[in-house]
Amino acid sequence: HTSPRVIMSSKSFGALLAEAYARPSNVDWCEANYAYSPFIAEMWNTASSVPMTFVAIFGLWKARECVLMESRWAWAWAMLAVVGVGSALFHATLLHIFQAADELPMLYCNLVFAYLMLEERAETRSKRFAEVFSARPKHAKAAKALRASRRAWLVPLLFFVGASQTYLYFAFPSVYEVFMGSYVVVVLWLVQRSVRLAWFADDATATQRRFVRAALLCYGGGSVFWIFENVVCGVKGEEKGGWPMQWAHMHAVWHAGACLGTYHFIQFCSARRGEALGFDARAEKGDTLLPYVKHESARGGRKRE
């Protein structure tokens, strides 16, 4: 047998991609394949992936309308949208290349979320903040408390980590644990840091706790279904759980929980960032089903004038 080291050194990344396109996925969930259509492998899992992209579009729309818009929010919501598209392609085809289009964006999402948390108190490069808000007392005081941004080295580091994860993912295509290990470690760090900031930080607020509580409930609840499905069916075949597991569609429930949990987490990060910049970050709902953060300016109006 050829060792993994020889494989990694003898094949180009392009060759690994070509193999991934021809190879079936190394995961097959409980849902019966091609039960509803000869063109879509897992109908329920595919359909439940689509709302994630629309939730991300809604989040970006509200971010542009209600918070001090910075590029970090565009990245966060865009990556969530990409996960939705990739997940739908993966479950529709069960090809390894589209499994990568689902799982790699999940890893990239985590890197963006790590940036949100590590840079929540960094100086802003927003011209609108400098032109409109920096002269107001509360914002001026908040700006003085901000620290120099670490993006000069943090962004290249995160890109390097993402590139390394990508290469390892394709170099070891049959090792599902490569993805799971990379994903779970960062999620656990995000969870513990969110809880610590929302409940024990000096600048913690009720709004922050509201969004973290919802994120943990949705994401944690969905994870229970995901883990149970893995235990019963495993990740190598749809038939191991029998018809009861195929009927339960637990992976679709995981999609809903992950979608809503991630949405509320990004809103939590928005609330933290708003408070750091001197805004009153409040939870709003309006006529929508999902709550969102609005940055109220120190003068009492909305952040846009």
Side-chain angles (χ1 to χ4, degrees):
H1 296 284
T2 305
S3 68
R5 181 175 297 179
V6 173
I7 292 176
M8 292 175 66
S9 60
S10 61
K11 290 185 178 179
S12 67
F13 186 67
L16 293 174
L17 283 176
E19 288 185 1
Y21 189 80
R23 184 190 305 115
S25 66
N26 57 28
V27 176
D28 188 357
W29 304 106
C30 286
E31 181 179 354
N33 295 343
Y34 300 103
Y36 299 92
S37 168
F39 305 105
I40 299 178
E42 298 175 341
M43 179 65 76
W44 278 76
N45 290 348
T46 301
S48 62
S49 301
V50 175
M52 196 175 300
T53 298
F54 290 100
V55 167
I57 293 171
F58 172 80
L60 179 59
W61 169 49
K62 283 301 180 184
R64 293 180 61 84
E65 183 180 68
C66 299
V67 308
L68 184 74
M69 190 61 190
E70 299 175 277
S71 60
R72 64 183 67 196
W73 308 125
W75 277 100
W77 293 117
M79 287 311 307
L80 180 59
V82 171
V83 170
V85 173
S87 179
L89 290 172
F90 165 42
H91 291 292
T93 64
L94 292 181
L95 291 176
H96 190 256
I97 189 66
F98 293 123
Q99 181 182 353
D102 173 24
E103 293 173 349
L104 284 175
M106 291 171 67
L107 300 180
Y108 304 154
C109 253
N110 280 351
L111 297 179
V112 173
F113 297 160
Y115 177 88
L116 295 183
M117 304 208 81
L118 293 172
E119 287 288 274
E120 68 175 21
R121 303 197 68 83
E123 294 174 343
T124 180
R125 301 196 301 173
S126 168
K127 293 182 179 179
R128 185 167 186 80
F129 183 83
E131 295 171 356
V132 178
F133 301 107
S134 60
R136 300 178 186 176
K138 186 178 179 181
H139 297 292
K141 181 180 179 180
K144 290 180 181 179
L146 298 175
R147 54 167 174 73
S149 175
R150 294 174 286 192
R151 61 179 292 123
W153 61 266
L154 181 58
V155 171
L157 174 62
L158 294 176
F159 268 100
F160 173 78
V161 172
S164 300
Q165 290 175 328
T166 302
Y167 187 79
L168 290 173
Y169 185 94
F170 287 109
F172 299 96
S174 61
V175 185
Y176 186 62
E177 290 74 17
V178 170
F179 159 71
M180 285 298 297
S182 301
Y183 181 71
V184 171
V185 167
V186 181
V187 167
L188 292 176
W189 177 80
L190 293 172
V191 168
Q192 69 84 20
R193 186 174 176 88
S194 299
V195 170
R196 181 169 61 84
L197 292 174
W199 271 272
F200 303 106
D202 293 337
D203 56 349
T205 65
T207 296
Q208 295 172 25
R209 288 189 289 274
R210 170 182 176 177
F211 282 111
V212 172
R213 198 177 290 114
L216 293 176
L217 179 64
C218 294
Y219 199 92
S223 297
V224 170
F225 286 91
W226 184 23
I227 294 170
F228 185 77
E229 182 187 32
N230 274 299
V231 170
V232 175
C233 293
V235 295
K236 295 296 184 181
E238 77 201 72
E239 300 296 339
K240 292 183 180 179
W243 71 264
M245 289 297 295
Q246 293 178 359
W247 173 83
H249 300 298
M250 288 191 175
H251 202 77
V253 177
W254 149 249
H255 283 165
C259 172
L260 294 175
T262 304
Y263 172 87
H264 285 89
F265 171 79
I266 298 175
Q267 295 293 349
F268 159 70
C269 292
S270 177
R272 292 282 306 172
R273 180 60 171 168
E275 295 288 342
L277 294 174
F279 294 99
D280 294 325
R282 301 179 181 178
E284 299 285 340
K285 194 169 184 181
D287 297 328
T288 64
L289 294 176
L290 295 174
Y292 53 89
V293 167
K294 182 163 70 173
H295 292 175
E296 298 281 358
S297 71
R299 197 170 61 188
R302 287 173 52 182
K303 66 93 190 170
R304 291 186 180 273
E305 296 187 335

